[in-house]
Amino acid sequence: MTSAESPYHFLARPAALTRGSVTLDVTNVLRHAIVSLALAPGETIDKSAICEQLGVSRFPVSEALARLAAEGLVDIAPQRGSTVSLVKIADVREYMLIRKALESEALRVLIGNIDHDVITALHANMAAQRDAAARDDAEAFHQIDIDFHDIIFRSMRFTKIKGIIDSARANLDRARRLIITPRRLALTIAEHQAIFAGILAENQEQAIAAIRAHIDAVMVELFAFAREHPEPFADGKTLEEETFPFG
């Protein structure tokens, strides 16, 4: 089987595989494929084909899948093989509630001690969001969206909090990619602009209300999508209208 014929032709072979980094490199390649939905929720994983595509032995692929299983991205069933895990709305909701609390506190810190480098970075980020939306580049917009929130988090200078956010981000990113549309891009820009307006006004209540509204709006849209399209979700069929409030 040649690379062009491989079912995993979209997996990019790491440029330089060194003995100490093979498992990490394979993990990163597979994680990106899962989070970007190139490997779809529920899809069966063919380890042999991945080995051939990436030019590695079975051991680093098996180890990579074990790591991704610990992150909730892969399900490993003895004797039945591995599959890409379905997205768990309950987990995404819990993570978004954590994010809402942490980002609210980050805004308090930022607005209580305005850092002009952060303001400059947010100005540039908002311009980049508009540019990506104008080009209808959903993938670029998704990364710029992540960067917008990371800029706010950096104001806290708490690496452990950043670590908590990053460790739980993969499943949220999968879920958010499912609802990326030109309409959602436009709404996200408006919601981010409202947050930024509160920061520029040095108004903590305004900025915090805007970020809470933004997170709630994304969750409401995601819940609605999951009810209409339950296939990628582990719990999409169980959602009820009363689960919409997020506190």
Side-chain angles (χ1 to χ4, degrees):
M1 181 183 295
T2 66
S3 178
E5 297 168 335
S6 169
Y8 297 113
H9 60 87
F10 51 84
L11 296 180
R13 182 177 298 192
L17 288 168
T18 59
R19 184 170 183 176
S21 69
V22 175
T23 297
L24 178 60
D25 290 341
V26 172
T27 302
N28 289 338
V29 167
L30 293 178
R31 182 189 295 111
H32 180 266
I34 292 171
V35 171
S36 66
L37 303 179
L39 285 171
E43 184 173 337
T44 299
I45 296 171
D46 184 338
K47 283 200 282 189
S48 297
I50 291 174
C51 292
E52 185 166 357
Q53 174 65 26
L54 297 183
V56 299
S57 67
R58 290 181 68 85
F59 178 78
V61 174
S62 296
E63 286 293 301
L65 292 176
R67 294 184 184 187
L68 295 171
E71 295 177 19
L73 295 176
V74 169
D75 294 327
I76 299 175
Q79 312 304 322
R80 290 191 295 168
S82 303
T83 58
V84 179
S85 67
L86 297 175
V87 177
K88 297 179 179 65
I89 287 288
D91 289 351
V92 172
R93 179 181 184 275
E94 185 174 350
Y95 171 63
M96 290 293 264
L97 288 171
I98 293 170
R99 252 188 78 174
K100 186 156 56 172
L102 290 176
E103 293 203 44
S104 295
E105 186 59 29
L107 285 171
R108 291 186 200 280
V109 173
L110 173 59
I111 294 173
N113 184 23
I114 289 293
D115 183 329
H116 293 289
D117 288 341
V118 171
I119 299 301
T120 299
L122 288 172
H123 269 300
N125 183 277
M126 290 302 307
Q129 287 180 50
R130 294 189 182 92
D131 178 66
R135 292 184 284 106
D136 196 24
D137 189 339
E139 185 60 32
F141 187 94
H142 179 77
Q143 186 56 54
I144 296 164
D145 183 352
I146 290 173
D147 291 343
F148 176 85
H149 293 273
D150 280 351
I151 291 166
I152 293 172
F153 273 123
R154 284 203 296 272
S155 67
M156 297 183 77
R157 298 182 173 86
F158 292 158
T159 57
K160 289 184 180 179
I161 289 177
K162 179 66 163 55
I164 292 170
I165 293 297
D166 287 344
S167 67
R169 171 170 278 160
N171 269 305
L172 173 62
D173 285 352
R174 283 204 297 166
R176 290 174 62 197
R177 274 182 165 90
L178 290 168
I179 60 171
I180 288 181
T181 62
R183 170 184 169 277
R184 182 65 244 170
L185 297 189
L187 288 173
T188 296
I189 290 172
E191 290 158 9
H192 285 172
Q193 187 61 54
I195 297 165
F196 192 29
I199 294 171
L200 291 175
E202 299 187 31
N203 186 322
Q204 291 183 352
E205 290 186 3
Q206 179 184 343
I208 289 168
I211 208 159
R212 292 174 70 87
H214 169 48
I215 291 172
D216 286 349
V218 171
M219 281 306 299
V220 168
E221 196 159 337
L222 181 58
F223 270 55
F225 179 90
R227 285 210 317 273
E228 294 176 10
H229 308 279
E231 298 80 12
F233 301 93
D235 45 4
K237 294 181 180 178
T238 67
L239 295 176
E240 301 292 343
E241 193 73 29
E242 60 265 28
T243 62
F244 268 37
F246 306 107

